[in-house]
Each structure stands twice: as C-alpha cells, then as structure tokens.
Amino acid sequence: MAVIPVDIAGHPYEVRIGAGLLAELVTHCRGRLRKRTVPIVTDANVHAAWGDVLEGALRENGHEPRWRILPPGEASKSWQQLAATVDWLLAEEVERGDSILALGGGVIGDLTGFAASILKRGCHFIQIPTSLLAQVDSSVGGKTAINTAAGKNLVGAFHQPSLVLADLAVLDTLPERELRAGYAEVVKYGLIGDADFFGWCDSNGAAMLNGDGALREFAVATSVAAKARIVAADERETSGIRALLNLGHTFGHALEAETGFSDRLLHGEAVALGMVLAARYSARRELMPRATAEHVARHIAEAGLPSELSALSLDCDGPALAAHMLHDKKMDAGTLPFVLMKGIGEAFLAKDVELKDVAAFLDAQLKR
Ligand SMILES: NC(=O)c1ccc[n+]([C@@H]2O[C@H](COP(=O)([O-])OP(=O)(O)OC[C@H]3O[C@@H](n4cnc5c(N)ncnc54)[C@H](O)[C@@H]3O)[C@@H](O)[C@H]2O)c1
Ligand SMILES: [Zn+2]
C-alpha cells in the first residue's frame, strides 16, 4: 500500500492506495465511524459491482450501512440530487462529527463532497474513488460541485475529505473506455511537471492499462503525489500553480461543449485531445519543438485516446470551437489564462493568448 499525505493547511489528510482497501475499510476508518449506522452515497453501477464487499466489511464489524444509490452519470450532479441527498442525510440524522462515505467516480465524489460541505455547515466525508479519473484526480484536492443550466461545475465549494481510500481492485470492473479516459489525467501529471514520469508512461502505460497491479499502484501514487503537491501549494487556485492542472482542459472543455457533454467524448478523452492541442499550439508559438508535440500525440494515440481533431468529424469551424472558451470559468476580465508547454514536464500559465489566434489554429487542426 502507498500512503500519500496531502498537506493542506488546517485540513491535512492521507490518500491510501492499494488493492483490497474496500474489504479492510473499517480498519482504515478507525475512529471515524462513530455510530452503528454508516451513510454511503454511491451510484447504481458501483453498487452493483462493489456494494456487497462494502456491505460485508461494515456488517462484519457491527456497522449497518445505509445506502443512497443514485442513477449513474453526470446528470446526478444536479440541484435536485443535491437537495434530495442533503434531505436524506438529515433524515439519517448525520451529525457534523460523523463521516459520510462517497463510493464512486467523480460524479459521486463531487456531489457527496458538496452535500457534506453544506450539511450542518460542513461535516466530514471520506472519498472512496472507484474510477481511475477519481483516484488520480477528483477525489483529491477538495473541489466539489454540481452542474446547473448555465454550465458544468459552476456551483460548488472547496471542502477537503478527511481521508481518501483508493482501492485498485475496483478498477477491474471499470469499463475499459472509462479506464483509458482516466489515464489521460495520469499522463497530464507527466506533461505538467515530471518528464521522467511521462517517460515511465511511455514505457509502462500500456501494461498498466492491461491490469498490472504494481504498475497501477505506481501510476496512481505518482499522480496523487503530484496533485497533492500542487493543491498543498495553492489550495484555492489563487497563485496560479493549481491552474496548471488545467493543462488540456481549456481545449477539452470546448470539445465537450461542442459535443454536448455527451458520450461522444468522455471528459478524459476531451482532455487527452486537449493536451495534444495544447502541445501543438505551444509548438505553433515556437515554445517547444514540433517533434515534442508529435511525441505527445503519439503517446495519446497509442493509449487508445483521441489525438486528432479532424477525426472527430465536428460540424463547426475553429472560431465556433474557440467561442466555447468565452464561457470558461477561468475567464477573467476578458482574458483566458492558457496552460502551454515549453517542453514535456514544463507547463506554464500563459496570459497573453489571443482567442483569435487559437481559433485560427483550431481551424487548421480541423482540416489536418
Ligand atoms: N473535483 C475535482 O477536482 C474534479 C476533477 C476532475 C473531474 N471531476 C468531475 O468528475 C466527474 C467525472 O468523473 P468520472 O470519470 O469518475 O465519472 P463517473 O463518476 O460518471 O464514472 C464513470 C462511469 O463509470 C462507472 N463506474 C465508476 N467506477 C466503477 C467501477 N469501479 N466499476 C464499474 N463501473 C464504475 C460509473 O457508474 C459511471 O458510469 C465529472 O463530473 C467531473 O466534473 C471533478
Ligand atoms: Zn480533468
């Protein structure tokens, strides 16, 4: 098992990573499960695959699990599900010192974390991430949110979990497409600040995706350690360090918006292509060699992720795609900070990017 500390001032916690943690849950949560009943929020897919394991682990130790099982999918990050979940937690008489368990992917983690942040002005919650994306990204760092008619993740709170348990065994039931999508966020940490880790991904990514346990532990632990370093340095994204985690995301969000946030393009797939675009755009601006950008594109393609904008057959031009960026949360007084690269492992925040230039670049990429 790997244990990664997240040293956030005032709310330090640990991320424990290993195979079989779900079955040992009560040992890991020692002192945190104060009552016989334990509230767990999950979705129907995760409940079907892992509900029994968690149920057994709790009952063996005299606890009674109380389940709230939501429909799988992004639509559950809604005002309606938030209200219903908070009402359910109140009906369950959850107190501030109790711990709510969030068992699922990023959807469940974001919704449950937000519910925990407002329940009685903030109560404890434990993240038990079950998708690769949630294990390496969304369960760590304390961003919680729901979606509204105006857009994704526009309503939320910073609320850190008190513990994160990433059981690598649960990845065995994760659909392969979701696993690959999560891998995009793993590669991201290499591209942001760790060329050696990108090299490791080049050599070991395929075997990791194929299920090698030791490689999975290394990939998740290295990713979590990178995220922990960044969020400990800049919890609320004020100094610009945390913004580096958005590498590939400004392009990615435009692609998600253009494809209607649908199954056509999963978040991780959009980020994968978004990182290729960020690399190629960096090369266009002569910040790094074109060959380096193509190395990134090759790695993404070899992982079974989208690497060519033209292959998406989008029904729009570059300016229309760039227009989606105007609605980006990061937009600040008319300028959009963009994460670009000087090389692999050398991401930086550029503040002088003109949307018109990005639109022309996207036009060329659409026609490649
Ligand atoms: N808070 C953050 O910092 C942060 C960071 C990145 C992403 N996010 C959010 O995370 C969400 C995406 O997360 P996600 O990709 O995990 O999506 P998700 O929660 O929808 O999970 C993806 C799919 O996999 C299924 N699933 C999850 N674990 C499984 C398992 N072990 N076995 C079988 N099926 C399983 C789910 O039921 C779902 O159908 C988005 O809403 C995004 O905004 C948040
Ligand atoms: Zn992401």
Side-chain angles (χ1 to χ4, degrees):
M1 184 177 73
V3 180
I4 311 290
V6 186
D7 288 321
I8 289 184
H11 317 269
Y13 54 95
E14 281 180 3
V15 182
R16 299 189 193 161
I17 301 155
L21 302 192
L22 213 50
E24 305 160 0
L25 179 96
V26 175
T27 312
H28 291 291
C29 293
R30 191 120 289 146
R32 298 178 195 278
L33 308 177
R34 306 188 311 167
K35 294 190 186 138
R36 199 171 64 81
T37 55
V38 177
I40 309 158
V41 182
T42 189
D43 77 22
N45 292 339
V46 177
H47 184 259
W50 297 96
D52 285 353
V53 175
L54 191 52
E55 178 102 18
L58 287 166
R59 287 198 185 280
E60 257 171 37
N61 288 279
H63 287 291
E64 184 191 330
R66 309 283 294 181
W67 293 96
R68 178 162 176 79
I69 304 166
L70 302 178
E74 193 66 31
S76 284
K77 270 175 62 173
S78 65
W79 283 115
Q80 289 84 341
Q81 290 295 3
L82 176 71
T85 301
V86 169
D87 281 338
W88 175 78
L89 291 165
L90 290 169
E92 289 291 326
E93 299 182 349
V94 173
E95 296 169 354
R96 290 183 80 179
D98 297 340
S99 293
I100 304 164
L101 308 191
L103 174 72
V107 165
I108 292 300
D110 277 14
L111 177 84
T112 310
F114 191 25
S117 80
I118 56 177
L119 186 78
K120 303 191 173 169
R121 298 202 181 87
C123 61
H124 297 300
F125 82 115
I126 295 174
Q127 288 272 23
I128 311 175
T130 62
S131 66
L132 180 58
L133 180 136
Q135 295 193 346
V136 300
D137 190 359
S138 63
S139 66
V140 180
K143 281 192 182 177
T144 73
I146 57 166
N147 307 323
T148 70
K152 272 192 67 172
N153 296 331
L154 293 177
V155 176
F158 284 98
H159 188 57
Q160 301 293 339
S162 45
L163 178 68
V164 182
L165 295 176
D167 184 345
L168 300 167
V170 305
L171 299 178
D172 290 344
T173 59
L174 186 69
E176 157 126 14
R177 188 177 169 199
E178 296 285 352
L179 186 73
R180 290 183 190 280
Y183 179 69
E185 305 275 6
V186 172
V187 174
K188 183 182 80 176
Y189 296 109
L191 293 178
I192 290 174
D194 190 344
D196 289 346
F197 184 53
F198 182 81
W200 182 92
C201 289
D202 247 351
S203 316
N204 300 288
M208 198 278 299
L209 287 166
N210 279 332
D212 183 292
L215 297 180
R216 273 191 184 168
E217 182 166 316
F218 183 81
V220 175
T222 306
S223 300
V224 168
K227 179 145 187 189
R229 262 195 311 278
I230 291 172
V231 297
D234 182 18
E235 183 194 0
R236 306 221 160 190
E237 207 163 320
T238 43
S239 75
I241 297 172
R242 188 164 181 164
L244 295 177
L245 293 170
N246 295 323
L247 176 64
H249 281 63
T250 305
F251 285 114
H253 284 155
L255 295 168
E256 286 185 277
E258 183 60 32
T259 51
F261 294 97
S262 67
D263 285 354
R264 249 181 97 187
L265 203 61
L266 300 178
H267 172 75
E269 293 170 342
V271 168
L273 180 48
M275 293 188 301
V276 173
L277 293 172
R280 286 184 177 152
Y281 184 67
S282 300
R284 172 185 163 105
R285 295 198 32 174
E286 298 183 346
L287 292 161
M288 73 176 191
R290 208 160 283 274
T292 310
E294 293 317 307
H295 182 180
V296 174
R298 223 169 28 249
H299 183 70
I300 292 294
E302 281 165 12
L305 287 162
S307 64
E308 292 303 329
L309 189 55
S310 51
L312 288 188
S313 320
L314 295 179
D315 193 17
C316 70
D317 59 8
L321 205 47
H324 292 295
M325 297 175 182
L326 289 170
H327 306 294
D328 198 289
K329 268 204 299 315
K330 306 322 187 264
M331 197 83 189
D332 180 21
T335 66
L336 186 58
F338 241 87
V339 186
L340 299 179
M341 282 180 265
K342 291 183 181 147
I344 286 171
E346 293 177 80
F348 72 101
L349 196 60
K351 296 196 169 148
D352 60 344
V353 174
E354 289 196 22
L355 224 49
K356 248 174 56 194
D357 191 43
V358 173
F361 162 73
L362 287 172
D363 230 20
Q365 289 290 313
L366 281 160
K367 294 180 188 128
R368 248 169 83 103

